Amino acid sequence: FEDDPDSPILVSEKPATRTPSRILQSPFVAETWVKEFNEKYGSQARQRQKQIEEEQIKANKLEERRKKREKTIEEQVTERLSIAEKTPAVVEDKVPEKEISFPKITDEMQAEIGKALQPSPEGEILVKGYRLEISRKDMHTLAGLNWLNDEIINFYMNMIMDRGNKQGNLKVHAFNTFFYTKLVQQGPSSVMRWTRRVSLFAMDLVLVPVHLGMHWCMAVMDMRSKCIKYYDSMGGRNNKGINALRDYLQAEHKDKKGSNLDLSEWTSQYPENIPQQMNGSDCGMFACKFAEYASRDASINFSQTHMPYFRRRMVWEILHKQLV
């Protein structure tokens, strides 16, 4: 047939290639695959977006609180300035001492502070006083965002008491940082000997550092107004602690004066609108400053933004055993 153009052409027909069964079974060729993919990963994306939005809301609230506090401080300053402008000076144009809260730290003071905050040798004793020793390691708890230790807080409380011994200042007694824990755990009888040389009811104020394991607060017993005030820089309340202090006052009065104390005359308060800490490190600083302000009947005009300043200032104060 090769020479015959009209001869038929024979074509060999191969069977059609079949799609392997493993491909047919793959989820990627299913009609619903795209829909299922979108539902699965779209849901995860929506969840992530929701988390992002929730965190943003939290951040906005914190920023709102910060601006509100700053605004309050600005309003207080503006009000005081306006009063000062309207009130003519009688003797001399001088701000009362108890209102001077933020004196400048001089270059000379800064150099001394920086030297004291050097971390080593950590065992070196930097200052002695009030039957206490402050080592370089203790002092370093005032650096950065470190947690204040008992030694620093106790030394500072003693400086507040020391200032109260000077004529014209409020008479203050401050318990050390172990008093509250012992009182709560073992009752008033366990701490009766702590005031054998102190006439507690002759004081104007009694300061009680409150340690709650991972958090510091300050209780202030005002013996003049018969009021227990509880300061917490995280806004917490501690009815158990206040009741323990009331029981202690009753036991102390009975032990020292031989009669019952009329607790119906005593009140308790959680002061409102006090500054709140914005981190997990400055509770000890807030507690110390609440005590220091209370010890001179000063209005609280500080906030979280002042804590770095107060930390460095406290280093200098401890070195010199003198509150600025």
Side-chain angles (χ1 to χ4, degrees):
F1 303 103
E2 293 179 359
D3 298 330
D4 187 353
D6 296 324
S7 62
I9 299 173
L10 299 178
V11 178
S12 176
E13 183 177 339
K14 296 181 180 180
T17 303
R18 294 183 177 180
T19 304
S21 61
R22 68 176 183 277
I23 296 178
L24 293 175
Q25 294 173 0
S26 171
F28 301 111
V29 299
E31 294 181 358
T32 60
W33 177 78
V34 174
K35 181 180 178 182
E36 292 173 351
F37 179 87
N38 287 335
E39 288 179 351
K40 179 180 180 181
Y41 293 98
S43 175
Q44 291 180 359
R46 286 193 296 274
Q47 184 64 27
R48 285 196 299 271
Q49 183 61 34
K50 184 180 178 181
Q51 291 174 348
I52 292 172
E53 290 174 355
E54 288 176 350
E55 291 300 322
Q56 186 60 49
I57 290 172
K58 290 179 183 177
N60 290 341
K61 286 183 177 179
L62 286 173
E63 180 65 15
E64 238 174 69
R65 287 172 59 189
R66 183 185 65 79
K67 288 182 178 178
K68 186 178 179 181
R69 291 192 188 95
E70 289 181 352
K71 184 179 179 182
T72 302
I73 292 173
E74 289 176 2
E75 288 174 349
Q76 291 175 356
V77 172
T78 302
E79 182 181 355
R80 288 177 183 175
L81 288 174
S82 64
I83 292 173
E85 290 173 358
K86 294 175 183 178
T87 306
V90 178
V91 180
E92 56 181 345
D93 187 11
K94 183 178 179 182
V95 180
E97 183 180 353
K98 71 175 185 178
E99 296 298 334
I100 301 175
S101 302
F102 312 110
K104 181 181 177 181
I105 300 177
T106 66
D107 291 342
E108 184 179 352
M109 294 166 70
Q110 291 284 16
E112 195 173 358
I113 292 165
K115 185 178 179 181
L117 288 177
Q118 291 176 3
S120 61
E122 64 178 25
E124 180 184 358
I125 303 301
L126 297 179
V127 61
K128 296 180 181 181
Y130 316 111
R131 292 186 292 178
L132 296 169
E133 293 182 345
I134 298 298
S135 68
R136 190 174 291 279
K137 181 180 179 181
D138 297 325
M139 194 71 83
H140 201 256
T141 65
L142 284 165
L145 293 176
N146 292 330
W147 293 359
L148 272 61
N149 66 8
D150 294 274
E151 286 73 19
I152 290 295
I153 294 176
N154 286 328
F155 203 96
Y156 194 74
M157 292 299 106
N158 273 278
M159 287 196 296
I160 293 176
M161 285 193 289
D162 195 29
R163 181 174 64 186
N165 291 329
K166 297 176 182 177
Q167 189 175 4
N169 294 326
L170 297 180
K171 292 183 292 184
V172 179
H173 179 72
F175 285 109
N176 75 27
T177 53
F178 305 105
F179 171 84
Y180 174 82
T181 302
K182 192 173 182 66
L183 170 65
V184 172
Q185 293 178 352
Q186 301 179 30
S189 61
S190 66
V191 292
M192 282 294 98
R193 290 174 56 83
W194 291 41
T195 53
R196 62 185 184 275
R197 297 179 181 175
V198 178
S199 181
L200 209 65
F201 292 93
M203 297 292 164
D204 294 312
L205 297 174
V206 177
L207 308 176
V208 185
V210 176
H211 192 219
L212 302 176
M214 301 289 286
H215 184 52
W216 287 103
C217 302
M218 183 59 61
V220 178
M221 296 193 288
D222 193 326
M223 313 304 280
R224 303 163 299 175
S225 62
K226 299 181 180 179
C227 180
I228 302 174
K229 299 179 182 180
Y230 190 84
Y231 295 84
D232 186 339
S233 58
M234 294 190 75
R237 299 200 169 199
N238 186 359
N239 293 334
K240 177 183 176 182
I242 286 180
N243 288 334
L245 291 173
R246 288 172 62 87
D247 291 343
Y248 168 72
L249 285 172
Q250 178 68 271
E252 178 74 8
H253 197 275
K254 182 74 172 177
D255 182 64
K256 300 298 192 297
K257 293 183 175 291
S259 61
N260 290 324
L261 178 67
D262 186 2
L263 286 174
S264 66
E265 298 178 349
W266 281 77
T267 61
S268 57
Q269 293 180 8
Y270 295 98
E272 297 181 353
N273 301 320
I274 61 173
Q276 300 288 284
Q277 66 186 90
M278 306 299 286
N279 58 37
S281 309
D282 280 328
C283 56
M285 282 301 308
F286 273 88
C288 286
K289 295 313 295 183
F290 286 143
E292 193 274 319
Y293 271 62
S295 71
R296 51 190 173 91
D297 275 344
S299 300
I300 295 176
N301 63 348
F302 61 84
S303 68
Q304 174 66 62
T305 58
H306 296 103
M307 290 303 118
Y309 162 80
F310 280 141
R311 280 177 176 268
R312 295 187 69 81
R313 171 173 149 183
M314 192 181 289
V315 172
W316 190 92
E317 290 174 326
I318 290 174
L319 287 173
H320 293 267
K321 293 185 282 187
Q322 175 188 345
L323 294 174
V324 176

